[in-house]
Amino acid sequence: VQLVESGGGLVQAGGSLRLSCAASGFTFDDYVIGWFRQAPGKEREGVSCINNSDGSTYYLDSVKGRFTISSDNAKNTVYLEMNSLKPEDTAVYYCAVSIGRGPDYVPVDVTDFGSWGQGTQVTVSS
């Protein structure tokens, strides 16, 4: 299993970024892909996830309406479109994979996820 994130960078508050998570080594359609973030001195938190079997999604309350997760199963890639970015969104963003457990399964806890990518830094300046 391999996950590779890309798309991070430095952006001003109010700006946008699109993160990509390219996956390989497993049957993409059967799994849940999640995006997590970890800011310095804080615990890793679940931002969003998508169940590739039925498209069910989860969003952290603080990103609802600003972030959108999507999946291109043909490319084995999950995207996180981030708009109206705020300084508090600054963190290292990671994608991770969880074994699917049927439709509507959208895990949010770090312990529900197995393989992780290396992370991509997102910095939002005020």
Side-chain angles (χ1 to χ4, degrees), residues 7-10 17 19 38 40 90-93 119-123:
L10 172 64
L17 284 173
L19 305 183
Q38 188 165 20
T90 295
V92 178
Y93 283 70
T120 185
Q121 177 70 47
V122 171
T123 303

Side-chain angles (χ1 to χ4, degrees), residues 52-108:
N52 284 329
S53 70
D54 69 345
S56 298
T57 58
Y58 158 82
Y59 293 97
L60 183 67
D61 282 348
S62 63
V63 308
K64 286 180 180 177
R66 300 188 298 123
F67 290 11
T68 302
I69 193 169
S70 61
S71 181
D72 186 335
N73 288 12
K75 295 183 178 180
N76 282 13
T77 301
V78 170
Y79 304 97
L80 185 68
E81 185 76 34
M82 306 186 297
N83 298 314
S84 301
L85 282 162
K86 303 176 181 179
E88 51 263 45
D89 294 318
T90 295
V92 178
Y93 283 70
Y94 301 89
C95 65
V97 61
S98 176
I99 296 174
R101 292 188 172 89
D104 299 324
Y105 177 62
V106 283
V108 301

Side-chain angles (χ1 to χ4, degrees), residues 19-61:
L19 305 183
S20 299
C21 174
S24 62
F26 59 97
T27 305
F28 193 72
D29 295 6
D30 295 339
Y31 287 77
V32 175
I33 304 295
W35 282 100
F36 291 77
R37 66 187 181 187
Q38 188 165 20
K42 295 188 176 181
E43 293 187 352
R44 192 168 297 189
E45 64 177 355
V47 175
S48 182
C49 74
I50 185 166
N51 184 327
N52 284 329
S53 70
D54 69 345
S56 298
T57 58
Y58 158 82
Y59 293 97
L60 183 67
D61 282 348

